Amino acid sequence: MRLLVTGGAGYIGSHAVLRLLEDGHEVTVVDSLVRGHQGALDTLARIGGGRFRAEIADLSDTERLESILRSRGVEAVLHFAALAYVGESVEQPLRYHSVNACGSLSLLRAMTAAGVGRLVFSSTCATYGEPAADRVPIREDCPQQPINPYGRSKLYVEQVLRDRVDAAQRSGEPFGFVALRYFNVAGADREARIGEDHRPETHLVPICLEVAQGKRPRMSILGTDYPTPDGTCVRDYVHVEDLIEAHVLALGALAMGEGRAWNVGIGRGHSVREVLESCRRVTGRKIEAVEAPRRPGDPPTLYADAGRIRSDLGWKPRFDTLDAIVESAWRWHDSHPDGYGSAS
Ligand code: UDP
C-alpha cells in the first residue's frame, strides 16, 4: 500500500516505518523534527530506497498535507505525530492541545479534501486516567476520564474520530479508523538500527539504561508509598515491535464506516523496582537508585486487559518478558551511546 506516517522520525513512528518498508509498502513520512530525529530518517532512507520519502512539515499546514496525500497517492494514514510528556502537558496545556488536537484536526481535514479515508491513530492508556481498582486490568470499555492535558488531548481526538465516522456512515463517504491505546512502550529494533532517543528523557527504561551507561549518576524511584505490592508504580511494558505488529493487524482489519479501539499492552504489570532489577540483570551493571517523592499525575497501577486485541486481531506479543524487552533496549543504547547523536 501507499502509506503516510506522521511522526515517522520519532521513536514509535520510526519503528512503524521500518516494519512497513520491510513489508514492501511505499511510505511517506511527515515529521516536523521538533521531537523526531533526522538520523532516524537517514537510516530509514537507506533501508527504504525509492519506496521511502520524508517531508519535513508541520501538521498545522493542512494545504501541504493535502498536497502530499494527493501527490503520493496515499491510501491510508498512520498518525503518530504528537507531544507525549505528561508532565510537560500540565505545564504547557495550550501547546499540547494545539499540537495533538488541532494538528489531528488539520490532518483529518487534509485527508477529507484528498479523499483518504483510512486512519490508524496512536491513542494512550492515559485516556483512562486513574481507573478504580476494580477496573484494573483495564478493558477498552473502562470509563475514559483522563487526569492530564496529554490524556485529554488524545481522548478529544478519539471523540472527533467517532463523530467523523458517524457522519461518514450517514453520507456514505468512505472513512474508517482504529485507535490503539498504548500502554508503556519500550525496546528497540532487534538489529538496533533505530531506537529510543527522547530529549529530554523521562521514561523509566531508558533512564535506568543511561545510568548503566554512565550518562547519569543515578536514577530516582519516583514514589515508594503507592498502594502496590512493593510501594512503587506498576505499569504494563510492551515491546515497540509488538506494538507495531498491532498497527499492521489493525490496518488490515480497518473497515470503512467503522471506528474501533484496542488496548495494546501485554496484560501484566511490573513495578518500578522490578524494571530497575531487570535493567541491572540485563546490563550486569550496578545502576544506582535513590528513593524520591511521587511524580504528580502518576496513577499507582495501570495494566491492560489485552484479551480483546488478542482475540479480535490474533495479536500475540513476541517479547513476553521484561528482560527480553530490556535486552533489546540495551542493544540500542549500548551501540549508540549518544543516541542519534552517535555515528551510526
Ligand atoms: N519512573 C521512575 N523514575 C524515573 C522515571 C519514571 O520511578 O526516572 C516511574 C514513573 O513514576 C512511573 C513509571 O516509572 O510510575 C513509568 O514511567 P514512564 O515515564 O516510563 O512512563 P508513564 O507510565 O509515565 O507513561
Side-chain angles (χ1 to χ4, degrees), residues 4-197:
L4 183 86
V5 176
T6 74
Y11 167 46
I12 299 173
S14 61
H15 284 82
V17 174
L18 180 56
R19 167 69 192 270
L20 295 168
L21 289 171
E22 286 177 343
D23 285 356
H25 297 290
E26 264 180 47
V27 182
T28 303
V29 165
V30 167
D31 200 295
S32 66
L33 292 185
V34 168
R35 291 273 151 91
H37 297 280
Q38 182 62 47
L41 295 179
D42 295 343
T43 302
L44 294 168
R46 277 199 295 278
I47 294 165
R51 286 185 294 108
F52 174 80
R53 190 183 171 99
E55 301 275 357
I56 308 310
D58 200 277
L59 283 185
S60 60
D61 191 345
T62 315
E63 279 177 24
R64 174 100 187 272
L65 295 180
E66 182 188 337
S67 135
I68 294 167
L69 289 166
R70 284 186 192 280
S71 64
R72 301 284 291 166
V74 169
E75 296 160 277
V77 175
L78 291 93
H79 176 30
F80 297 91
L83 296 173
Y85 296 132
V86 167
E88 189 179 67
S89 81
V90 175
E91 284 154 24
Q92 303 176 33
L94 299 186
R95 185 173 176 214
Y96 268 67
H97 286 296
S98 137
V99 171
N100 295 358
C102 301
S104 299
L105 291 183
S106 171
L107 173 66
L108 281 167
R109 281 203 306 276
M111 287 175 64
T112 304
V116 179
R118 291 169 198 273
L119 179 71
V120 180
F121 173 61
S122 302
S123 190
T124 166
C125 65
T127 60
Y128 295 117
E130 223 173 304
D134 63 354
R135 286 290 199 162
V136 182
I138 302 168
R139 292 194 335 200
E140 286 81 352
D141 60 5
C142 178
Q144 288 178 288
Q145 295 164 336
I147 56 167
N148 52 58
Y150 168 64
R152 279 190 283 275
S153 70
K154 289 284 184 176
L155 176 58
Y156 171 73
V157 178
E158 282 199 24
Q159 289 164 338
V160 169
L161 291 173
R162 285 199 284 271
D163 289 342
R164 177 76 185 84
V165 96
D166 284 350
Q169 275 169 358
R170 281 193 298 278
S171 66
E173 214 183 331
F175 182 78
F177 78 90
V178 170
L180 296 177
R181 298 183 188 143
Y182 307 170
F183 282 69
N184 287 57
V185 187
D189 163 46
R190 67 195 66 199
E191 292 176 37
R193 293 166 288 184
I194 54 174
E196 186 167 14
D197 182 1

Side-chain angles (χ1 to χ4, degrees), residues 184 202-204 207 219-222 233 235 237 272 295 298:
N184 287 57
T202 62
H203 295 108
L204 180 61
I207 282 180
M219 64 80 63
S220 300
I221 300 173
L222 301 174
C233 286
R235 296 288 183 272
Y237 294 86
V272 172
R295 184 170 69 180
D298 275 345

